[in-house]
Amino acid sequence: MTPVRVLAVASEVYPIVKTGGLADVAGALPLALKSHGVEMRTLMPGYPDVMRVLTGAEEIRRWPDYFGGPGRLLAGSRDGLDLFVLDVPHLYARPGNPYVTADGVDWPDNGVRFAALSRIAADIGHGLVPGFVLDIVHAHDWQAGLAPAYLHYDNRPRPGTVMTIHNMAYQGKFDRELIGAIGLPWDSFNVNSLEYFGGISFLKAGLQFADRITTVSPTYAHEIQSDEGGMGLGGLLRERASVLSGILNGIDISVWNPETDPHIAYRFSAQDLAFRAANKAALQQQFNLASAPETPLLGVISRLSWQKGLDLLLEAIPTILSEGMQLALLGSGDRDLQDRYQAVARANPGRIAVVIGYDEILAHLIQAGSDALIVPSRFEPCGLTQLCALRYGAAPIVSRVGGLEDTIIDIGEADRSGHATGFKFAPVTAEALAGTLRKANIAFHDKLTWRRLQLSGLATDVSWRNRAGDYATLYRDLIAARRP
């Protein structure tokens, strides 16, 4: 097997910094690729949380002025990951969320902050780090989208480039005046380069110039080629359809493992689900829900937003109550949705419970203790919570979009072996969701049917093992295609 060297470029990496699924992928994929002969090092910004945990740091390069202030490129490791860290304090040494202020407003210099990340990625691609000669630069989401553009406009021999879209809704849009400040030529401001409705888009740059484009599920790869799903970039993706593919995400099954999970109340396995009921009891107690082992307990772990369909779930609350179900929700986001969910919880003590925020330990308990996990997204590139639910024996209830469509087998559409793993609904409306909740309630009270659902979910391979192999194949095919 020919070794392949890849530089991954990501703005967040689990378990160091996480705001969403991008971090999970950036943290798990490099480890999974090792068995496929791929050496992946990951470049990320030197946020305070990164600098605190970086071990064995070696200074590779120092600049007195890097995009407006002193900077360094460091090499180190953490949690089995080989890292390059761009330590530029005036850009990254800020508390809290990597992208927004404490008030939830984008940092005004985000364009410069992530242009700097892409610029150093291109320089590493050109050989900045002695002994690390790259085959591929793999850019994740808009924050790394300028890396393929820099490599293109440098007009030098370069490695291959891959651009992965984790969510089309985030496109890195800025004023055209930024072009000069970030060192790209002014002729890049055109419709076949960075120009996007009078401004520029970092994501568009990546999609325009990358040799290969991937997204995180086959269905989403199809959806984003439409005008609606492409969110202004559908035409470009249709033009580049020959280099666009969808590779499903996996999850780190060493982190999400009910047999060893330190965050749940009682460990269990597919061979012995007896202790799963004890986790349900612990979850009900944690959320101050009525202790009721025979009551279906629905879990939600989500950003509270229109995209995630959490307004539709609010409309379905009367169905949850009339069907005698409980709801435990963990999430934050839109202030109005937060307030409405808290009001519903106050009005229905013991039946509806809400925790605003994110708590990794509580997320594990919800997976282990809820009977079903609801993901009612209007669009969902892949989704990870439903994969975790399968791993923990919680039946997913999901909309028929993106990776949710690709990863769940509806109870009414069992595969050839008779396996089904959850429930899917369409169209994405409150009425369709309510009908599926009623269907799930009926199935829950049929103990044999429900146990089959759980066991089919637990038997599903949600790991990175095969998915990492798809990336390895993509890399090798790209390398072969670029040979003279």
Side-chain angles (χ1 to χ4, degrees), residues 39 119 142 147 195 198 245 274 281 294 320 359 367 376 380 424-425 429 435 443 454:
E39 177 190 347
R119 179 64 264 179
W142 74 263
E195 191 275 331
S245 59
E294 298 303 314
I320 292 173
D359 183 315
Q367 296 286 11
E380 191 62 66
K424 295 194 283 195
F425 67 93
T429 63
Q454 289 180 303

Side-chain angles (χ1 to χ4, degrees), residues 14 18 24 251-261 263-264 301 358 360-365 367-368 384-385 387-389 391-392 462:
Y14 178 84
K18 175 180 173 177
D24 291 303
I251 58 172
D252 187 335
I253 60 173
S254 65
V255 173
W256 295 98
N257 183 356
E259 296 183 44
T260 60
D261 194 334
H263 302 315
I264 63 179
I301 307 165
Y358 184 74
E360 186 79 11
I361 294 174
L362 195 53
H364 282 246
L365 183 59
Q367 296 286 11
L384 297 176
T385 54
L387 301 181
C388 299
R391 182 86 166 133
Y392 281 69
V462 295

